[in-house]
Amino acid sequence: MTTLSPSTAYLSSGRTGQPPRFADLIRSEWIKTRSLRSTWWTIALIGLFVIGSAAVAATANNNLADGHSGQQPPAFQPFTAFPATGYMMLMVVAGAMGALGAVSEYGNGMIRTTTVAVPARGTLVLAKAVTTAGLWAAAGTVISLGSFLTSQAILDAEHAGVPLTHPGVPRALAASALLAPLCALVGLGLGFLLRHGAATMIASTFVLLILPTLFSTSTRWSATVNHSTLMAAWNRLVQNWGPSPDSLAFMPTVPGSWLVYALWPPVTLALAVVLVRRRDV
């Protein structure tokens, strides 16, 4: 399928003779993104998988439950509403799709045309980042709400469902909705850094999923590395309980986990901007 490069979108806007505005670049990137059917099929399939995982987890919980006694309100069960299996897959897919936004242009040679039309390469990276973040933020929000509402509808059969206003739910919803755009931006940054499809996919999967497992939480230095990953931050933000007083493991804090969320995309993209400006296409 033919897509518009920034130069094509710029010419079609009738603004010849002037450098393209940032809005023109975002429009071009959005045209390229929405014109690919694979984008929508991928989002739809991963959404169904995550929401289906929540439905399976809630059904399994109902099969094990004896029913709520009614003497006290039900507790929010975070990893039933937001199952780790589903969200780990979402992280991989979002990271891969973000990476493709960069490596696909290097693979088909379109990056040469793009950089001729947009000499400010850092601005180009930022335009891709804005488009990628917007798309996956919308998808992540729908998936997060779908997972929660589906799981609670099933848990209501045992009177164990909770509303959106239940303590711990808003934070878990926000953390789960933001996970997809964050991983997509990390993948995009890695794509510009590595510029090779297979290498970027491997690096993205390693950074997002494998790296946390290599560092235990039993010692402070190792736990610090573990807590600095997006997977560990999401786990802490979703769960609604604090560290156990008798636990020998170091547990991340909620503010620290939000800080991890805030730092990963800009750090990755900043490195990408620096290298994109210095390297030849």
Side-chain angles (χ1 to χ4, degrees), residues 8 49 57 59 62 76 94 101 107 130 132 134 136 139 166 181 188 218 228 237 242 248 257 271:
T8 308
F49 179 81
T59 302
N62 279 356
F76 169 46
V130 169
T132 300
W136 282 100
H166 194 280
L188 178 68
S218 58
S228 65
L237 294 172
L248 299 178
S257 297
L271 291 174

Side-chain angles (χ1 to χ4, degrees), residues 25-120:
L25 301 181
I26 293 178
R27 174 174 173 266
S28 171
E29 293 302 326
W30 174 241
I31 291 173
K32 288 192 285 185
T33 299
R34 69 179 174 83
S35 64
L36 296 174
R37 294 180 181 178
S38 59
T39 300
W40 306 109
W41 277 111
T42 300
I43 292 175
L45 290 175
I46 190 57
L48 288 174
F49 179 81
V50 176
I51 295 172
S53 298
V56 170
T59 302
N61 183 81
N62 279 356
N63 292 336
L64 295 175
D66 294 327
H68 180 59
S69 63
Q71 297 178 353
Q72 56 183 352
F76 169 46
Q77 303 175 62
F79 294 109
T80 297
F82 306 103
T85 300
Y87 276 86
M88 288 170 67
M89 183 61 68
L90 176 63
M91 292 176 72
V92 172
V93 172
M97 292 294 290
L100 285 174
V103 298
S104 61
E105 293 208 28
Y106 285 99
N108 59 25
M110 187 182 289
I111 191 65
R112 296 181 179 87
T113 303
T114 301
T115 53
V116 169
V118 188

